[in-house]
């Protein structure tokens, strides 16, 4: 029997979906997705089978189709529990401690209602963002898209020719504001860590085990806050060298545990013997409402982590449920702490609720525990700008130098946030220090003594003069 001729080897050709009708035989895979969106024959949102306006259940059901993207079994992917831990940690930061003052600036009724509305709007926008990212992943057969790519592809699908031609500017603008926002959080974390450790150390001599008395504490001057920042710098550099979200989930879990313990201690104090709230205004002056809005928006600081967390999940189909459950928990925490803190301390509430706690070791440990949580949160907030900036430099060096460049750029970015924090502290704090003394008066808690007795004023005056004389001698 004669042998049959061998069958020709099938050629590897790239063909566009039948809905577009565009041949891409001569188009490279790197530019195919952009050209498919720019092509006028490609259907817009109104003619696609799946649109960003579809219901979450419909979008999730379509994930099982052959054209959907799934990321199962990747070694660097995160589980649903690790993603939830990251989501909670990314939103529970320094802004949470300022919410009682924010409620004061809005009113005991207007504040909680406004926080609820802001939370609903934030979660709704996060959901739209995730659904748009899923839509473009299915449309382009890509494993994931980031913030900039989502905006760029959305503009390229716009009916406006001007927006389609300038779609790349949308990506650059979004990336720029993400970098500024996330690195700004990192700068705040530097200031928060330095100030909290400085307060605890300087008040250590006057800190007691009695949490019922409200006493005047003479601070023992130590080194400048900028030196505290410099002390934290090498440890934060070592922390950000961890590039894997899966490994960072361990530190996020430790941060969550430390913050949960500190928040339990805060709640344990503020729920006891709450004064009559009838003296508190239901709606504050409209002049202070912008202060509430700024603090509340700052508290929802985890929105920049949404797509990076979704992109690193093993099973992205579970992310919408994780998003809604996690943000519901966070919004409830914001409202409860803001209201209870304002109800407990009233007009005496300060910028951070930790400043209203008694000066005893039990509540001083709250500052330390919360600072530990903020320390580990730095790496999570740093992850977003690092994913935007570092690939730009790594792609321009040979393969053997990429790891070195990666670590070097991470170190430079941490040093940048440290320098910005030091510069900002010098500008904002130095005018205050010129007229300040070296003593600290604990805020009013449940002490029965009047707040402005003459003997207290004399004690503070004598302490001021004594402290100034000691400083002059030094």
């Amino acid at each position: 029997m004669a042998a049959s001729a061998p069958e020709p080897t099938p050629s590897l050709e790239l063909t566009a979906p039948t809905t577009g009708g565009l041949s891409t035989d001569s188009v490279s895979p790197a530019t195919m997705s952009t050209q498919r969106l720019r092509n006028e024959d490609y259907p817009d949102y109104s003619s696609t089978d799946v649109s960003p306006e579809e219901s979450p259940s419909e979008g999730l059901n379509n994930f099982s189709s052959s054209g959907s993207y799934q990321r199962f079994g990747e070694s660097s992917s995160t589980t649903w529990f690790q993603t939830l831990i990251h989501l909670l940690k990314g939103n529970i930061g320094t802004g949470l401690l300022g919410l009682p003052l924010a409620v004061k600036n809005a009113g005991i009724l207007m504040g909680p209602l406004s926080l609820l509305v802001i939370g609903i709007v934030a979660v709704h926008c996060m959901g739209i963002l995730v659904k748009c990212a899923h839509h473009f992943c299915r449309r382009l057969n890509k494993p994931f898209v980031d913030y900039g790519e989502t905006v760029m592809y959305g503009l390229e699908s716009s009916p406006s020719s001007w927006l389609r031609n300038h779609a790349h500017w949308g990506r650059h603008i979004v990336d720029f504001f993400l970098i500024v926002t996330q690195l700004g959080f990192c700068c705040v974390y530097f200031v928060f860590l330095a100030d909290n450790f400085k307060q605890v150390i300087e008040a250590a001599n006057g800190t007691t085990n009695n949490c019922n008395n409200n006493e005047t504490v003479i601070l023992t001057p130590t080194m400048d806050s900028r030196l505290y920042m410099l002390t934290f710098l090498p440890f934060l550099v070592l922390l950000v060298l961890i590039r894997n979200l899966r490994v960072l989930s361990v530190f996020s879990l430790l941060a969550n545990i430390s913050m949960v313990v500190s928040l339990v201690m805060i709640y344990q104090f503020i729920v006891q013997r709450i004064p009559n709230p009838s003296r508190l205004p239901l709606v504050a002056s409209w002049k202070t409402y912008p202060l509430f809005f700024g603090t509340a928006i700052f508290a929802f600081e985890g929105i920049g982590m949404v797509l990076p967390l979704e992109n690193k999940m093993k099973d992205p189909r579970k992310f919408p449920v994780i998003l809604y459950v996690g943000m519901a928990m966070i919004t409830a925490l914001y409202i409860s702490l803001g209201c209870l803190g304002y109800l407990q301390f009233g007009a005496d509430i300060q910028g951070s609720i930790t400043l209203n706690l008694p000066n005893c070791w039990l509540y001083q440990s709250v500052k330390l525990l919360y600072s530990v949580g903020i320390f580990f949160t730095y790496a999570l907030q740093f992850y977003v700008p690092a994913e935007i900036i570092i690939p730009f430099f790594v792609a321009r060096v040979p393969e053997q130098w990429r790891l070195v460049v990666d670590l070097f750029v991470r170190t430079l970015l941490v040093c940048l946030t440290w320098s910005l924090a030091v510069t900002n502290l010098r500008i904002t704090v130095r005018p205050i220090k010129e007229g300040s003394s070296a003593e600290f008066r604990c805020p009013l808690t449940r002490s029965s003594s009047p707040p402005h007795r003459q003997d207290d004023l004399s004690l503070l005056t004598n302490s001021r003069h004594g402290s100034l004389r000691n400083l002059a001698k030094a």
Side-chain angles (χ1 to χ4, degrees):
M1 179 181 293
S4 59
E7 296 181 359
T9 303
S11 59
L12 298 177
E13 294 183 348
L14 296 175
T15 58
T18 55
T19 54
L22 174 65
S23 176
T24 57
D25 294 340
S26 59
V27 181
S28 63
T31 59
M32 181 181 64
S33 59
T34 303
Q35 292 189 6
R36 286 168 61 187
L37 281 176
R38 288 183 178 275
N39 187 267
E40 296 180 357
D41 296 334
Y42 198 90
D44 56 10
Y45 281 136
S46 60
S47 60
T48 53
D49 296 333
V50 182
S51 64
E53 289 79 11
E54 66 186 357
S55 63
S57 61
E58 293 174 353
L60 295 179
N61 291 335
N62 288 334
F63 268 42
S64 59
S65 61
S66 59
S68 63
Y69 72 104
Q70 300 183 28
R71 298 187 298 275
F72 295 101
E74 294 185 10
S75 59
S76 60
S77 299
T78 57
T79 64
W80 68 268
F81 180 74
Q82 292 170 335
T83 304
L84 179 61
I85 293 296
H86 282 313
L87 181 65
L88 294 176
K89 188 65 231 64
N91 283 274
I92 301 176
T94 57
L96 175 63
L97 302 179
L99 287 178
L101 180 62
V103 174
K104 173 188 174 183
N105 292 326
I108 193 59
L109 177 62
M110 181 62 71
L113 291 179
S114 299
L115 280 175
L116 179 61
V117 172
I118 293 175
I120 293 175
V121 172
V123 175
H124 176 69
C125 293
M126 291 178 184
I128 293 178
L129 178 65
V130 172
K131 284 188 285 186
C132 287
H134 288 179
H135 172 78
F136 288 118
C137 286
R138 287 190 296 267
R139 194 182 208 186
L140 304 174
N141 291 325
K142 299 188 66 173
F144 59 85
V145 292
D146 57 21
Y147 278 97
E149 291 175 338
T150 302
V151 174
M152 183 179 68
Y153 295 150
L155 293 177
E156 288 177 344
S157 302
S158 171
S160 172
S161 60
W162 188 88
L163 291 178
R164 290 197 302 269
N165 295 331
H166 298 82
H168 62 284
W169 283 106
R171 176 176 185 171
H172 298 328
I173 292 174
V174 169
D175 287 344
F176 171 77
F177 283 112
L178 272 177
I179 293 172
V180 172
T181 301
Q182 299 302 121
L183 292 183
F185 288 145
C186 295
C187 295
V188 173
Y189 290 171
F190 259 112
V191 178
F192 182 86
L193 290 171
D195 287 348
N196 275 269
F197 274 85
K198 181 180 174 66
Q199 291 170 10
V200 173
I201 294 174
E202 291 185 348
N205 290 335
T207 303
T208 65
N209 294 324
N210 188 356
C211 297
N212 296 323
N213 294 332
N214 182 33
E215 301 176 352
T216 300
V217 178
I218 306 301
L219 296 182
T220 302
T222 59
M223 58 183 181
D224 189 81
S225 296
R226 288 166 288 183
L227 296 180
Y228 281 94
M229 295 184 190
L230 183 61
T231 304
F232 284 109
L233 178 61
F235 299 99
L236 289 173
V237 169
L238 293 177
L239 184 64
V240 301
L241 297 184
I242 302 174
R243 302 178 297 165
N244 194 328
L245 267 182
R246 190 179 183 89
V247 178
L248 284 178
S249 65
V250 178
F251 296 99
S252 292
L253 182 59
L254 294 176
N256 282 340
I257 293 175
S258 64
M259 285 189 169
V260 165
V261 174
S262 61
L263 289 175
V264 168
M265 296 170 66
I266 294 176
Y267 273 99
Q268 177 269 336
F269 182 82
I270 63 179
V271 297
Q272 300 181 35
R273 296 197 293 271
I274 297 179
N276 186 3
S278 60
R279 59 187 174 85
L280 302 178
L282 296 179
V283 180
S285 173
W286 63 271
K287 296 180 180 180
T288 60
Y289 190 80
L291 297 176
F292 159 82
F293 188 77
T295 306
I297 292 298
F298 175 75
F300 286 91
E301 57 188 72
I303 190 169
M305 295 297 302
V306 173
L307 280 188
L309 292 179
E310 191 272 343
N311 291 339
K312 288 297 182 179
M313 282 194 68
K314 285 184 179 180
D315 188 0
R317 296 174 296 179
K318 298 179 180 179
F319 186 77
V321 177
I322 296 174
L323 176 65
Y324 294 131
V325 172
M327 291 306 300
M329 297 168 58
I330 292 166
T331 304
L333 176 65
Y334 286 177
I335 295 175
S336 62
L337 184 65
C339 293
L340 291 175
Y342 182 44
L343 288 173
Q344 177 63 246
F345 301 110
D348 296 323
I349 188 67
Q350 299 198 35
S352 175
I353 193 173
T354 56
L355 298 177
N356 289 90
L357 299 178
N359 188 56
C360 63
W361 283 114
L362 177 63
Y363 293 108
Q364 287 288 74
S365 64
V366 172
K367 297 180 182 179
L368 298 178
L369 287 173
Y370 210 89
S371 297
V372 171
I374 292 299
F375 176 83
F376 290 122
T377 308
Y378 184 98
L380 191 61
Q381 298 291 353
F382 183 86
Y383 182 84
V384 177
E387 288 293 299
I388 299 175
I389 298 175
I390 292 178
F392 175 81
F393 296 96
V394 170
R396 287 163 172 75
V397 296
E399 181 70 26
Q400 63 271 20
W401 291 100
R402 289 185 177 180
L403 178 60
V404 177
V405 172
D406 188 315
L407 302 181
F408 179 74
V409 174
R410 289 175 182 272
T411 304
L412 284 183
L413 290 177
V414 177
C415 294
L416 175 63
T417 59
W418 170 80
S419 61
L420 291 176
V422 169
T423 304
N424 180 71
L425 187 67
R426 173 184 292 183
I427 294 174
T428 58
V429 176
R430 176 171 288 183
I432 299 176
K433 285 187 176 181
E434 290 176 356
S436 64
S437 59
E439 76 276 347
F440 170 74
R441 174 153 179 99
C442 285
L444 290 179
T445 56
R446 292 191 295 270
S447 175
S448 57
S449 60
H452 299 294
R453 295 193 315 181
Q454 184 64 32
D455 53 350
D456 288 341
L457 294 177
S458 301
L459 177 61
L460 289 175
T461 303
N462 294 333
S463 300
R464 170 187 288 268
H465 293 322
S467 301
L468 292 178
R469 283 196 298 270
N470 294 334
L471 290 176
K473 292 179 181 180

